[in-house]
Amino acid sequence: MRTYDIGGVTVDRRTLIRLGGVAALAAVPATGLLSGCAFSGGDDGNGSAGAGTRSAKNPLGVKEDAPVEFFNFEGGYGKDWPKIDTTLYRGRFPRAKVTINGGQQLKQQLQPRFVGGNPPDLTATNDLDLPALVQQGQLMPLDQLLQAPSFDTPGKTVAQTLLPGVTTFGTLDGKIYAHPYVDGMSGIWYSQPLLDQHGWQYPHTWDEMMALCAKIKAAGIAPWTYQGKYPGYIVNPMLNIALKAAGMELGRTIDNLAPNAWKDPALLATATRFHELAAKGYLLEGTTGLTHTQAQTYWAQRKAVFIPCGSWLENELGDIAPKDLGMTVNSPPSLSANEKMPFEAVQVNVGGDFAVPTKAKNPLGGMELLRIMLSKQACADFTKRTSELVVVDGYADNLSLSSALKSRRAAVKLAGSNLISLPHYQTWYPAMSKAIEDATSALMGLQITPADWVTRCQQAADTTAKDSTIHKFHA
């Protein structure tokens, strides 16, 4: 997952999401959460709460009076969205105490608890190094959850209520350890009313984009801005554009650390175009030093026309966004009109993952809470609170949607089967991801050339490939 900043923390691409690739979706450290540490404490991994009696209303066999703790990532979606989930849990298990804790620096907050053997029963995974946790046996596979009946869709299992392909985003070494939640999308955002006011059309190719940028600059508006202090935001559309040109096989080549993968002509051409944005003065002044909130606020104030971001943008802006902003998202312009994938191909960001720690006191309770979170009732409440969609199929069909959500759904509909999932290296290899982000900062700051950027990215991949201490994954 490439990485994205949400609420001040860089997350994987698959979100958030992945940053997924996630995930999507805070500077993810070069070293793993528990790298070099032997975990200790806790019990045999089955949880100290024990199990209750399985029934139609309790298919996982949760002990009905056992406390359960959820650790929330308090970023772009805030603190309040889990209230419906805990209310539904208490309704099913009235004798259980449900606790919600959280923060924005999950690595720092949870590392002592993983090491001490007392992690929460269900946790967001933002800022955590999933490969390191999996390799150390700290997370439970979620097969039992997926095979359980849906909380409020009779006749279907949890897995059968999900959008196609969702669970692949949380899968490592053939097992799903982190369940995606947010059905996000990343792209280029703009105000449709602003474009209409000036008679501008959203460009489908980069030649059209550069021609439009000249007109925008002449009108006294900055064509582009981005979240400069968190370069994962600009890496994301760069990879998106390169994959549209070269095809999804390029992503698999990158993830498999293939020699010269980063020297693909599509990546060099994309880097050249983004370098040109900076060289021609098409970035809002000071963009490379802006935080995510600063850049997004300036964009909402119409000081810049285009900004790359994930679909959490609407909720994160909140009241900062004028009511007449008309937030609209589209796929980044293509390098040319003749490519492996059409302009309409969009990048999906399945992310906002949740995991059940092996050493949790009540892991079955954690799974049950996640089962509730994946119910139609809970998903509808989440969307109303956050203006974000969830990975459950069909639940939002009758909801009243904002202009931003409508544009997202329209873009995905136009894309059809042309959905882009960015490479997983940002989740799998945090140190490599950080090196590529640093190179991208230098590129956009005009400190290096596009050719230099390609070289530095390839060097980061080669270093990872040669390091025998790093567990390798395969796409």
Side-chain angles (χ1 to χ4, degrees):
M1 249 208 165
R2 50 207 171 334
T3 54
Y4 308 89
D5 175 84
I6 301 180
V9 179
T10 301
V11 300
D12 62 42
R13 109 16 209 175
R14 297 171 325 226
T15 207
L16 284 161
I17 215 177
R18 230 125 132 50
L19 123 73
V22 243
L25 145 85
V28 179
T31 55
L33 170 63
L34 300 172
S35 298
C37 300
F39 63 86
S40 60
D43 52 29
D44 60 1
N46 294 319
S48 58
T53 302
R54 292 177 181 267
S55 66
K57 288 190 174 183
N58 186 11
L60 295 175
V62 177
K63 189 176 181 182
E64 298 188 6
D65 61 350
V68 63
E69 179 192 1
F70 170 50
F71 206 92
N72 181 29
F73 173 66
E74 297 172 350
Y77 304 131
K79 299 181 179 181
D80 292 337
W81 68 264
K83 287 183 178 179
I84 182 68
D85 308 302
T86 56
T87 298
L88 291 173
Y89 191 98
R90 292 188 185 100
R92 186 60 58 89
F93 305 107
R95 292 186 292 157
K97 178 182 178 182
V98 184
T99 302
I100 301 177
N101 291 313
Q104 294 187 356
Q105 302 293 332
L106 270 63
K107 174 183 179 291
Q108 290 88 336
Q109 291 171 284
L110 293 180
Q111 178 167 343
R113 297 188 59 180
F114 274 105
V115 173
N118 64 331
D121 303 304
L122 178 67
T123 183
T125 64
N126 308 66
D127 198 30
L128 303 184
D129 189 330
L130 289 179
L133 290 171
V134 170
Q135 287 300 302
Q136 296 164 10
Q138 291 277 19
L139 300 181
M140 294 182 67
L142 298 176
D143 306 74
Q144 187 175 357
L145 166 69
L146 294 171
Q147 295 165 7
S150 164
F151 186 80
D152 60 1
T153 303
K156 290 189 176 182
T157 65
V158 170
Q160 290 170 337
T161 67
L162 303 175
L163 295 170
V166 162
T167 56
T168 62
F169 289 94
T171 298
L172 293 171
D173 285 342
K175 293 183 179 181
I176 179 169
Y177 290 95
H179 199 292
Y181 195 65
V182 173
D183 177 30
M185 171 190 167
S186 278
I188 308 302
W189 291 84
Y190 53 95
S191 165
Q192 186 62 54
L194 179 61
L195 264 61
D196 293 342
Q197 176 186 340
H198 292 273
W200 297 329
Q201 299 291 325
Y202 183 80
H204 287 202
T205 68
W206 269 93
D207 284 343
E208 294 173 356
M209 171 59 81
M210 298 310 291
L212 178 57
C213 284
K215 295 178 181 179
I216 294 171
K217 187 175 182 181
I221 309 173
W224 277 69
T225 190
Y226 74 95
Q227 304 80 345
K229 286 193 173 182
Y230 305 101
Y233 277 98
I234 207 74
V235 172
N236 179 29
M238 291 175 69
L239 290 172
N240 189 339
I241 291 165
L243 290 176
K244 284 205 290 186
M248 291 301 295
E249 182 59 33
L250 174 59
R252 288 185 284 272
T253 302
I254 289 172
D255 280 341
N256 291 332
L257 306 175
N260 299 320
W262 286 89
K263 295 183 180 181
D264 188 284
L267 286 166
L268 176 59
T270 302
T272 300
R273 285 306 206 178
F274 276 81
H275 185 268
E276 189 178 7
L277 281 178
K280 290 192 172 182
Y282 291 159
L283 295 179
L284 179 69
E285 185 176 356
T287 281
T288 56
L290 297 179
T291 65
H292 65 296
T293 53
Q294 290 170 331
Q296 292 161 191
T297 297
Y298 290 144
W299 173 79
Q301 294 170 345
R302 298 183 174 92
K303 293 180 180 179
V305 174
F306 301 115
I307 188 171
C309 198
S311 50
W312 59 82
L313 177 62
E314 180 181 16
N315 185 68
E316 197 163 58
L317 280 172
D319 293 337
I320 293 174
K323 295 186 182 300
D324 62 349
L325 183 58
M327 291 179 62
T328 306
V329 66
N330 219 321
S331 182
S334 301
L335 291 174
S336 70
N338 299 305
E339 300 189 333
K340 291 290 183 68
M341 302 183 76
F343 159 76
E344 291 80 8
V346 296
Q347 181 207 326
V348 291
N349 281 343
V350 177
D353 301 353
F354 298 101
V356 176
T358 306
K359 298 289 182 177
K361 294 180 180 178
N362 186 12
L364 292 177
M367 284 192 189
E368 176 65 13
L369 185 57
L370 184 52
R371 188 174 78 101
I372 289 171
M373 290 165 60
L374 292 167
S375 67
K376 288 186 175 181
Q377 182 178 352
C379 292
D381 187 81
F382 180 84
T383 295
K384 291 174 183 177
R385 289 177 181 270
T386 67
S387 299
E388 186 63 277
L389 297 173
V390 182
V391 298
V392 172
D393 192 20
Y395 81 93
D397 290 348
N398 297 318
L399 297 181
S400 177
L401 304 178
S402 66
S403 65
L405 277 170
K406 287 178 181 177
S407 75
R408 285 174 50 194
R409 298 194 90 187
V412 172
K413 184 176 181 180
L414 282 174
S417 62
N418 294 296
L419 302 180
I420 295 174
S421 173
L422 292 194
H424 298 286
Y425 76 86
Q426 292 163 325
T427 300
W428 292 352
Y429 310 118
M432 171 182 163
S433 181
K434 178 63 166 56
I436 289 169
E437 289 186 5
D438 290 344
T440 304
S441 286
L443 175 77
M444 300 305 293
L446 302 179
Q447 298 165 356
I448 63 173
T449 67
D452 294 333
W453 180 83
V454 167
T455 298
R456 284 180 56 170
C457 292
Q458 188 58 53
Q459 287 174 343
D462 291 343
T463 298
T464 303
K466 295 174 183 177
D467 190 339
S468 61
T469 67
I470 297 175
H471 179 80
K472 306 301 191 298
F473 298 93
H474 297 282

